[in-house]
Amino acid sequence: MSKFRGIIGMMLALAASVMTGCGDNQNGGTQSGSSPATGPILIGQYASMTGSEATFGQTTNEGIMIALEEQNAKGGIHGRKIEIITYDDQSKAQEAGSAVTRLITQDKVVAVLGEVASTRSLVGGKIAQQFGVPMISPSSTNPAVTEIGDMVFRVCFIDPFQGTVMAKFAHENLKLSKVAILYDKGQAYSTGLRDFFEESFKAMGGTITTVQTYKGGDPDFNAQLTSIRESGAEAIYIPGYYNEVASIALQARKLGITVPLMGGDGWESPKLAEIAGDAVEGCYFSNHYAPEADTPEVKEFVKKYEAKYKSVPGALAACGYDAAMILFSAMEKAKSLDGKDLAAAIAQTKDYKGVTGVITLDKHRNANKSAVVLKMKGGVPVYETTVAPDSTP
C-alpha cells in the first residue's frame, strides 16, 4: 500500500468486511469478531505524517513499507497478502484516538502499528486495549504506554533506561558534575526522561543546577536559558522533540551559552540540523541504532532503504521496520489472528535479530536491548558509544 489509502480504498475494505461476514478462524478474526476471513490481511498504522513532528511518522512509515514489501514478496501471511492502512494523526493526541478507533471499528484491522510519540500512544493504546486488538509502538519510550494492558507492546527501550544512559554518559564519558534540565512539561515523553535523568545523575553524585520548563510550540526560550546560564551548568539536558530543541539551541548560542546540549531519541530528525545548523554541532543524544553498525541486519536494511529512498535511514525508520517484522513473525506463528491469540504470539518474541538490536520482550511487553549515544558532527549524527541494559545501575 502507498502511504495513504484513499477514501475509495477504505470504502471497499469496509464493504468487503460486511460482505464476508464475521468470525474467528486461523487466518482472520479479531476479538471484536469482524475481520474478513479471506482476502488481504489488514493492519492499521496511525502516525504523525503532518504536523509538528511530521518527520517522525514519515520516516517510521518508510521503514514499515520496506517490511511490508519484503513480507508480501515472500507470499504474505499463510498465503494472504498484507495491506497497511495509514491514518495521519497530524501530531495531535485527539486525532490519534480518532484514527485508532476508525482502524478498528471501520477498517477491521487485526493489529495496529503506532505511534512514535508517547502522548499519542497513550491515547491510541487505550482504544486498542478496549477492543482487544494488539498494538505495537515502534518507539514510544514512556513506561506508561505498555502499562495500559496486555494488548500493548513496543520494540524500543523505555525512558528509565534511556534517561539513565545519558546520565551515565554525562557523568562517566563527559566527566560532568553540574547539568541543567530544560524539558517540555506538556509531553509525557519529555517529563519521563527528565525524571529518570535527574534521579540517575544525582545518584551518581552529580548536581542538577536548575530545572526549567517549556511547552511545545513555544517560540521564546530566553528566560529559561538565561537562568540556566547563570546556574553554572556544564551541559543542558533537553529531552524534547527536534523542532523545539533546534530553536532552543539557536537561542542558547545567541546568549553565549557554549556548553554541550544533550537529549533523547526525540532529537532524531534531519530537521534538527537543518534548522539549528552549527548550534547543535558537538551535542549528544541517545538513540535506538546507528546506521554504521557492523551487523548483517543493519547492512541489509540500510541497503534496501537507500535503494528505495535515496538517503540513509534514521532510527525511527529502523524501529518501524522492526515493529512491522516482529508483528509479521507473530502472525505467522499465532494460533489465529484473533486479538488474544495474536497478542500471545507477540509476547513470545525472544532473541529476535532486528535492525535496532536483538529484541526480547519482557513480561511488561517492553523490549530489552541496548541504546547508542550519537554525536552531531558535520550536521549529521555519528556513533559515539553503546550502552547495554546490564551496564546501567
Side-chain angles (χ1 to χ4, degrees):
M1 288 291 293
S2 61
K3 290 180 179 178
F4 297 98
R5 189 174 190 184
I7 187 65
I8 293 176
M10 290 190 288
M11 293 174 66
L12 289 173
L14 179 59
S17 70
V18 173
M19 292 172 66
T20 53
C22 309
D24 297 338
N25 54 67
Q26 185 165 0
N27 296 318
T30 66
Q31 190 156 329
S32 57
S34 53
S35 177
T38 60
I41 299 173
L42 301 181
I43 294 172
Q45 178 191 195
Y46 66 114
S48 51
M49 306 300 287
T50 61
S52 56
E53 290 95 36
T55 66
F56 286 171
Q58 292 166 4
T59 53
T60 299
N61 178 70
E62 289 170 353
I64 289 174
M65 289 302 114
I66 290 177
L68 176 68
E69 292 174 2
E70 191 175 317
Q71 189 68 32
N72 277 336
K74 294 191 294 185
I77 303 292
H78 301 307
R80 295 173 65 186
K81 293 291 184 181
I82 305 166
E83 289 188 4
I84 294 180
I85 303 171
T86 299
Y87 288 138
D88 176 17
D89 60 31
Q90 304 169 39
S91 305
K92 300 175 182 175
Q94 184 176 358
E95 293 296 329
S98 300
V100 176
T101 300
R102 277 201 295 162
L103 287 168
I104 295 174
T105 63
Q106 295 182 23
D107 298 305
K108 313 299 182 186
V109 299
V110 301
V112 176
L113 295 169
E115 231 266 9
V116 169
S118 296
T119 298
R120 296 191 282 277
S121 284
L122 286 168
V123 175
K126 289 175 183 173
I127 295 168
Q129 183 70 34
Q130 175 188 346
F131 285 98
V133 174
M135 181 187 105
I136 302 179
S137 167
S139 43
S140 286
T141 52
N142 189 282
V145 170
T146 50
E147 291 171 1
I148 290 171
D150 60 359
M151 288 290 152
V152 184
F153 303 82
R154 70 178 119 215
V155 299
C156 58
F157 47 66
I158 59 176
D159 288 339
F161 174 61
Q162 184 175 202
T164 302
V165 163
M166 287 311 289
K168 182 180 173 70
F169 178 75
H171 180 70
E172 296 185 0
N173 295 63
L174 300 182
K175 309 298 183 186
L176 303 177
S177 60
K178 296 183 292 183
V179 175
I181 297 175
L182 177 56
Y183 75 99
D184 182 347
K185 62 182 180 182
Q187 290 285 352
Y189 162 79
S190 192
T191 57
L193 274 182
R194 185 285 309 267
D195 290 343
F196 299 116
F197 177 89
E198 182 175 3
E199 179 181 345
S200 298
F201 194 65
K202 286 180 176 177
M204 295 171 193
T207 299
I208 302 299
T209 60
T210 182
V211 177
Q212 300 287 321
T213 67
Y214 66 92
K215 193 168 183 179
D218 286 351
D220 186 352
F221 307 93
N222 281 285
Q224 299 97 315
L225 289 169
T226 298
S227 296
I228 289 171
R229 184 182 60 187
E230 294 171 353
S231 74
E234 300 167 331
I236 310 172
Y237 185 58
I238 313 170
Y241 295 141
Y242 60 88
N243 37 17
E244 280 89 15
V245 171
S247 297
I248 290 168
L250 287 168
Q251 292 179 33
R253 301 317 183 204
K254 286 182 180 178
L255 286 172
I257 297 173
T258 59
V259 300
L261 311 180
M262 303 184 297
D265 57 334
W267 286 31
E268 165 67 42
S269 172
K271 292 290 183 184
L272 177 67
E274 286 180 27
I275 299 170
D278 291 343
V280 291
E281 196 69 5
C283 298
Y284 304 90
F285 65 100
S286 52
N287 211 353
H288 305 275
Y289 104 124
E292 57 265 46
D294 187 24
T295 69
E297 292 78 19
V298 170
K299 288 181 176 179
E300 185 66 20
F301 177 68
V302 170
K303 180 181 176 182
K304 290 177 182 176
Y305 188 96
E306 288 181 333
K308 185 175 179 64
Y309 298 110
K310 314 302 180 190
S311 62
V312 177
L316 297 187
C319 286
Y321 177 85
D322 280 351
M325 293 305 289
I326 284 175
L327 174 60
F328 299 156
S329 177
M331 291 168 70
E332 289 178 326
K333 299 171 184 172
K335 186 169 64 175
S336 79
L337 297 184
D338 173 85
K340 288 186 177 179
D341 287 340
L342 182 52
I346 297 170
Q348 294 301 311
T349 300
K350 183 178 180 182
D351 297 332
Y352 180 87
K353 292 184 178 179
V355 176
T356 60
V358 179
I359 299 171
T360 294
L361 297 184
D362 65 17
K363 64 181 180 181
H364 303 296
R365 300 170 302 285
N366 300 321
N368 181 24
K369 62 181 184 182
S370 300
V372 298
V373 177
L374 305 179
K375 181 179 182 179
M376 294 301 297
K377 190 174 182 180
V380 295
V382 177
Y383 173 79
E384 182 76 7
T385 190
T386 297
V387 182
D390 59 2
S391 67
T392 54

